[in-house]
Coordinates of all heavy atoms in Angstrom, one line a residue:
D24 N 8.5 22.2 14.3 CA 10.0 22.1 14.5 C 10.3 21.1 15.5 O 11.3 20.3 15.3 CB 10.5 23.5 14.9 CG 12.0 23.6 14.9 OD1 12.6 23.1 13.9 OD2 12.6 24.0 15.9
V30 N 11.6 13.5 14.6 CA 11.6 12.6 13.5 C 12.1 13.3 12.3 O 11.4 14.0 11.5 CB 10.1 12.1 13.2 CG1 10.1 11.0 12.1 CG2 9.4 11.6 14.4
L51 N 2.4 27.0 2.6 CA 3.1 27.5 1.4 C 4.6 27.6 1.6 O 5.3 27.2 0.7 CB 2.5 28.8 1.0 CG 1.0 28.8 0.5 CD1 0.5 30.2 0.4 CD2 1.0 28.2 -0.9
D152 N -5.0 26.3 -10.0 CA -4.6 27.7 -10.1 C -3.1 27.8 -10.3 O -2.4 28.4 -9.5 CB -5.0 28.4 -8.8 CG -6.5 28.2 -8.4 OD1 -7.3 29.0 -8.9 OD2 -6.8 27.3 -7.6
S218 N -7.9 28.4 22.3 CA -8.0 29.6 23.2 C -9.3 29.6 23.8 O -10.3 30.1 23.3 CB -7.8 30.8 22.3 OG -7.5 32.0 23.1
W234 N -23.9 40.7 19.0 CA -23.3 39.6 18.4 C -22.0 40.0 17.6 O -21.2 39.2 17.2 CB -24.2 38.9 17.4 CG -25.1 37.9 18.1 CD1 -26.5 38.0 18.2 CD2 -24.7 36.7 18.7 NE1 -27.0 36.9 18.8 CE2 -25.9 36.1 19.2 CE3 -23.5 36.0 18.9 CZ2 -25.9 34.9 19.8 CZ3 -23.5 34.8 19.6 CH2 -24.7 34.2 20.0
V292 N 4.1 21.4 25.3 CA 3.2 20.4 24.8 C 3.8 19.1 24.8 O 5.0 18.9 24.3 CB 2.6 20.8 23.4 CG1 1.8 19.7 22.8 CG2 1.8 22.1 23.5
G295 N 4.7 13.5 22.5 CA 5.0 12.1 22.4 C 4.0 11.3 21.6 O 4.4 10.5 20.7

Side-chain angles (χ1 to χ4, degrees):
D24 189 48
V30 188
L51 290 167
D152 308 277
S218 195
W234 278 112
V292 171

